[in-house]
Amino acid sequence: MTTYEEMKFRKFTKKSEIQKALNTLKGIIQGICIDGNQNHIELDELDAWCLNNNFLSEKKPFTELIPLISDSISDNLLTQNEIDDINWVCDKFLSTNNYYDDVTISLQVLQGIFHGILSDNKISDLEVLNLRDWINDNEHLAGFYPYDEIGTLLTTILSDKIITDDEFNILKVFFSDFIDKSIDTNIDMDHIEQLKEDYTVVGICATCPEIEFEDKLFCFTGASTKTTREGFNNIVTSLKGEFRNSISSKTDYLVIGNGGNPCWAYSCYGRKVEQALNLRKKGCKIIIIHENDFLDALRDLGK
């Protein structure tokens, strides 16, 4: 009879699962150390990662990685040399066992960073600022979920150079959607579920998106202060693009009308936005843009 551990082994030791686990680990370490500080609560997340993968302790690279991590955090301190050693083991394995493309790898690391930052249930100003720097350094992820969403969220939060308690809570809610609960030991998910009753983070546009028109499919939602739906249609088609009134997996851009409502807030903008967000979460590269950015792109083209 097949045992539970054997079933678990087959389910979670595919090349894709191993690579994701290693990318997530690298991200968690980055998140834990992103502010230059660490504490035993944050390091407990690395211990949890080891325990969750302990059934692989006789399989490469876990044969080397799990003892290395356990020894590194035994003194409640993770030095830069220890971090470099852990990353070296991960990279050595990943260099000959590639499954994902560079974008997917970076997005898995980003989700690990969210986990690492949230691991002690606190988010500091410095963590937010350094995460913003990471986002700025990884512009190759533009257009992919959740890069655009967190990028705009950080732009909004940092616009007045003050991070409020409400904004910290919004980030907690956002980060929590990417936490691997199987390796979480300290994150207070019950508290986050309570926060979700008061904070909803949806309907966020991309920041300064690059907009192309030729052979691209556009959709519009909301109210425009500049033109009509027919006007949008005419503009897009004149630039060799295509305009449709409904969202699909083939949609390239969803334009949210200005209509007096800035798209930098955290409220729901209706069914089309919800559809676009859900499709982005499934991997469709739909870019949600504000009408102002759409109009800026037209001005750049002399329209």
Side-chain angles (χ1 to χ4, degrees), residues 117-254:
I117 291 175
L118 198 56
S119 59
D120 62 352
N121 295 295
K122 300 175 184 178
I123 302 177
S124 69
D125 288 38
L126 188 55
E127 286 174 328
V128 175
L129 291 171
N130 288 343
L131 175 59
R132 189 267 314 271
D133 290 342
W134 190 97
I135 292 297
N136 291 341
D137 289 339
N138 287 272
E139 293 182 349
H140 67 288
L141 300 178
F144 292 93
Y145 180 85
Y147 177 88
D148 289 349
E149 285 75 5
I150 187 58
T152 300
L153 193 51
L154 293 174
T155 298
T156 305
I157 288 172
L158 295 171
S159 62
D160 59 0
K161 300 181 180 180
I162 298 172
I163 309 176
T164 66
D165 288 342
D166 283 337
E167 289 169 336
F168 281 126
N169 287 334
I170 287 166
L171 287 173
K172 286 181 180 179
V173 169
F174 186 86
F175 291 172
S176 69
D177 284 340
F178 306 97
I179 302 302
D180 183 351
K181 298 178 180 60
S182 68
I183 57 174
D184 161 42
T185 58
N186 293 307
I187 299 174
D188 190 347
M189 298 305 294
D190 290 337
H191 176 61
I192 289 175
E193 289 302 318
Q194 293 176 2
L195 290 178
K196 287 182 178 181
E197 296 179 4
D198 298 318
Y199 301 95
T200 303
V201 188
V202 294
I204 300 173
C205 297
T207 305
C208 301
E210 292 186 11
I211 303 174
E212 300 176 0
F213 288 89
E214 188 171 352
D215 298 325
K216 300 297 183 181
L217 180 57
F218 287 76
C219 184
F220 181 86
T221 189
S224 171
T225 57
K226 300 294 183 180
T227 187
T228 62
R229 297 292 174 90
E230 184 178 355
F232 269 102
N233 188 356
N234 293 336
I235 291 169
V236 170
T237 53
S238 71
L239 294 169
K240 299 182 180 180
E242 185 178 354
F243 183 90
R244 290 184 185 174
N245 282 318
S246 59
I247 286 284
S248 75
S249 60
K250 296 181 179 180
T251 304
D252 294 295
Y253 300 99
L254 172 63

Side-chain angles (χ1 to χ4, degrees), residues 51-75:
L51 289 173
N52 187 66
N53 292 285
N54 192 55
F55 69 101
L56 296 172
S57 59
E58 297 181 1
K59 185 179 181 67
K60 291 185 177 181
F62 301 91
T63 51
E64 184 176 358
L65 198 52
I66 291 176
L68 177 60
I69 295 172
S70 297
D71 182 61
S72 297
I73 64 176
S74 61
D75 58 355

Side-chain angles (χ1 to χ4, degrees), residues 58-111:
E58 297 181 1
K59 185 179 181 67
K60 291 185 177 181
F62 301 91
T63 51
E64 184 176 358
L65 198 52
I66 291 176
L68 177 60
I69 295 172
S70 297
D71 182 61
S72 297
I73 64 176
S74 61
D75 58 355
N76 288 323
L77 178 65
L78 193 62
T79 68
Q80 187 58 54
N81 282 336
E82 289 169 337
I83 293 171
D84 291 343
D85 287 344
I86 294 169
N87 284 331
W88 183 83
V89 174
C90 292
D91 293 339
K92 183 180 178 182
F93 177 85
L94 293 171
S95 66
T96 56
N97 291 273
N98 287 327
Y99 179 85
Y100 296 108
D101 58 30
D102 290 342
V103 167
T104 303
I105 291 169
S106 296
L107 291 173
Q108 290 173 349
V109 170
L110 176 58
Q111 294 184 25

